[in-house]
Structure formats: structure tokens, C-alpha cells
Amino acid sequence: MNIGLMLLYENWGNNYKEAFQNQHELIMLGEQLGLDEVWITEHHFNKFSLSSSILTLMAYIIANTKKMNVGTASILTPIYNPIMVAEAVATLNILSNNRFYFGVAKGGPFKKQVELFDFENSRESMLTSLDEIFSYLDASSDVFPKPIGNIPTFIASKDESSIAFAAKRDIGLMAAHLWSTEIIHNMIEQYKKLHVHHNSPKMMCSRGFYMASSNDEAINEALPALQRFRKQMEIQGITSPIFYDENYWIDNGIIGDKQTCINKIKELKALGITNLALKPISNEVEKNKQSLELFAKDVLVNL
């Protein structure tokens, strides 16, 4: 199992420069601590999550790292021209020396995003765009540059048609941090049934993360951030009950002491997770750094 970071570029202090700097520091710490990868979300019309220009962020992160794989979680393909995405993906693949992961999604139910982008047929558009992108990356197309190796590709969806698309093309799946293990299990089983060789997918899973010396300490540090996140979901017009159930967040996160974190990660590995992306959830960047350092010292060496 690869273990890395999931970052949303949160603007906790209402300071754009500081927000970018804080997230960059977490990435560089992750590289120093030996994490395998970092995944970046794409959000629009969102003052809290500043990852709207995801391809720009990819280039910057690739330029500043040497070892970590760098992935999109995810590019919202319905709002892009497929040719331009193919050109960008191939360029990032080359610049990173084959460290780039290509994650795509149709886009979440965020009110402003739905109003200003055409999301009426976003799932169909996502899949159609992805096939077009693949065709432009092919050696026979007139779109350049061409990638220097296979680009690992993942679709963020629990929809059966998207899973069937992924299984047919032998590409991976992604699970959001609030998707339960039951949902992920069902995704994997559907994929295996539809895959020509009944193989399991490459399965990326994001999870809220905070580690401390005790479970109580970790939960007490995580709760304020979860509550602030909930307010942001309210602002974005999200009504799903799981965004407002703090116990559900804690149960489905990797939040706790050394043994709790080890146990939860081993459960996810047994489930079939191949790429685990930890979303640091303290409101304070220094505490997130301390949590990651503790994780690297006490957990990574025991997995």
C-alpha cells in the first residue's frame, strides 16, 4: 500500500498566500518523511479550498519534489477541452519523470459550481472526455507531447456505469474520505465482476487524519476542524447527512493514537486499498506537521 497526503488548500486564516505556503510546507515535510505521494483536489468558487487551478498546482509541486508521486483528486473533466487536458497530462508526466497520477471526477453537487458549469450530463461527459483524452495520448494522434510511460488513471465514482467503464479499461477507482468501508467494498466487488480477468482495481482512498499520543487527544484536536469543515459544506449548499455526523467522520477517519492508526490502516489494506491519502485535519499547520512526524516515526515503520 502506498501512503501519502490529500490536500484541499484550505484557507483557514483568510490569507491566500499563507494558505498556499502552509500546504506547500506539508508537502515538503511529507517528502522528507518518506510518504509515497500527494493528491490535490479541484474546487471552484470556494474561498476556503483554493485548489481551483489544479494543473498549475501540479506543475509547482512536481517542480519542488523529487520522489513523491503527485496526483489529481480529481480533474473535473466535464469543464475542460479534452485536447488541452491530454496535453497537460502528458507534459506533467514528462516533467515528473513518470510520477504523475491522473485522477478524474464529474464534479460534486456544489451549488455555485452546478449553476455556472453545465453539469446536467456530467457523468456521461466525464467518461466521454476520458476516452477522448486517452485517444489523444495515443502514439497515433496529432496531439503532443506524448507521455514517457503509462499514466496511472483513477475515476472518483461509486456509480456502476463509471465502475464498468474503469473495469473495461483496466484503470483504477478513487473513494472520497467520507465513503464507508461498505461502499468501498461494493465498488471493488462490482469492478472484479466486470473486469475481463476479474482483477481487483487499483483503489485510492482518502481519509481524514490526525494522530496524537492518545485517542482523546487526537479526537479533541480533530473536532474543531471537522466543525469548521461542516460550516463550509453548508455554505456550498451540501445537504448530505454524512457531512453533519461527527461520529461518522471519526469512525471513518484515521484519528487516534499509534495503535488505532495502525489498526485502521491495516483494515483498509485488507479491504483492498492500494493508495491511501491522509487528509490532515487540524486547524493549525504546526499541529498537522507534528501529527505527520509522529505518524512517520511510530506508524510507517510498523506497517
Side-chain angles (χ1 to χ4, degrees):
M1 174 193 281
N2 280 5
I3 298 179
L5 296 170
M6 168 69 76
L7 299 180
L8 281 64
Y9 280 78
E10 295 109 325
N11 187 16
W12 291 118
N14 197 27
N15 182 315
Y16 301 133
K17 182 177 180 179
E18 182 181 82
F20 282 112
Q21 181 61 35
N22 287 343
Q23 298 288 274
H24 182 62
E25 288 177 8
L26 286 176
I27 293 169
M28 299 315 295
L29 178 61
E31 169 116 329
Q32 177 187 331
L33 295 175
L35 296 182
D36 298 302
E37 52 205 39
V38 57
W39 299 80
I40 308 300
T41 61
E42 178 177 355
H43 293 114
H44 297 274
F45 317 110
N46 189 331
K47 189 177 182 180
F48 170 69
S49 182
L50 303 178
S51 52
S52 55
S53 187
I54 190 169
L55 295 172
T56 305
L57 289 173
M58 287 291 105
Y60 183 80
I61 296 167
I62 285 168
N64 283 277
T65 55
K66 302 298 182 185
K67 299 177 182 179
M68 297 176 80
N69 294 321
V70 181
T72 55
S74 307
I75 294 178
L76 308 184
T77 54
I79 68 174
Y80 293 98
N81 182 304
I83 294 176
M84 297 184 71
V85 175
E87 292 170 339
V89 163
T91 300
L92 292 170
N93 164 264
I94 297 165
L95 290 175
S96 68
N97 195 26
N98 214 22
R99 291 187 289 127
F100 174 68
Y101 289 162
F102 180 35
V104 304
K106 71 177 185 62
F110 300 104
K111 185 178 179 181
K112 194 72 172 180
Q113 190 167 277
V114 171
E115 286 177 0
L116 297 181
F117 292 140
D118 179 15
F119 276 109
E120 184 176 352
N121 300 301
S122 59
R123 190 181 313 283
E124 181 181 349
S125 175
M126 172 187 70
L127 300 179
T128 301
S129 294
L130 194 49
D131 261 344
E132 288 187 51
I133 292 164
F134 289 154
S135 73
Y136 295 135
L137 292 173
D138 188 81
S140 63
S141 83
D142 293 328
V143 174
F144 301 99
K146 299 299 181 188
I148 58 175
N150 178 58
I151 302 175
T153 303
F154 299 77
I155 298 178
S157 179
K158 54 182 182 289
D159 173 77
E160 187 171 348
S161 63
S162 299
I163 294 172
F165 179 98
K168 182 178 179 181
R169 291 157 183 78
D170 200 28
I171 60 181
L173 299 175
M174 307 176 77
H177 69 281
L178 290 180
W179 293 2
S180 67
T181 54
E182 181 181 1
I183 289 172
I184 297 171
H185 171 76
N186 290 337
M187 291 169 65
I188 293 172
E189 290 304 308
Q190 287 181 48
Y191 185 101
K192 288 164 65 176
K193 288 178 182 177
L194 295 166
H195 191 276
V196 64
H197 300 300
H198 304 293
N199 291 344
S200 296
K202 285 282 187 181
M203 188 79 218
M204 184 277 228
C205 173
S206 171
R207 283 293 185 256
F209 164 76
Y210 193 83
M211 181 177 165
S213 58
S214 71
N215 286 333
D216 286 344
E217 182 184 349
I219 292 170
N220 288 336
E221 185 60 39
L223 277 175
L226 296 176
Q227 291 159 356
R228 290 185 70 178
F229 181 78
R230 179 174 62 196
K231 290 180 181 178
Q232 293 300 320
M233 293 300 99
E234 291 173 348
I235 293 169
Q236 295 295 316
I238 300 296
T239 59
S240 174
I242 64 172
F243 285 98
Y244 303 94
D245 185 342
E246 293 167 4
N247 290 327
Y248 179 89
W249 290 354
I250 292 168
D251 289 342
N252 284 280
I254 299 175
I255 302 169
D257 62 12
K258 170 183 174 180
Q259 197 57 51
T260 298
C261 291
I262 289 174
N263 291 344
K264 289 195 172 188
I265 291 172
K266 286 184 175 179
E267 288 172 7
L268 291 171
K269 185 175 182 180
L271 181 64
I273 302 302
T274 58
N275 301 72
L276 176 61
L278 304 174
K279 167 63 190 69
I281 55 176
S282 171
N283 288 341
E284 300 180 32
V285 66
E286 291 304 320
K287 288 189 175 181
N288 281 326
K289 290 179 182 178
Q290 292 169 14
S291 173
L292 284 171
E293 289 169 347
L294 185 62
F295 177 83
K297 179 172 70 76
D298 291 347
V299 174
L300 276 182
V301 296
N302 290 294
L303 293 175

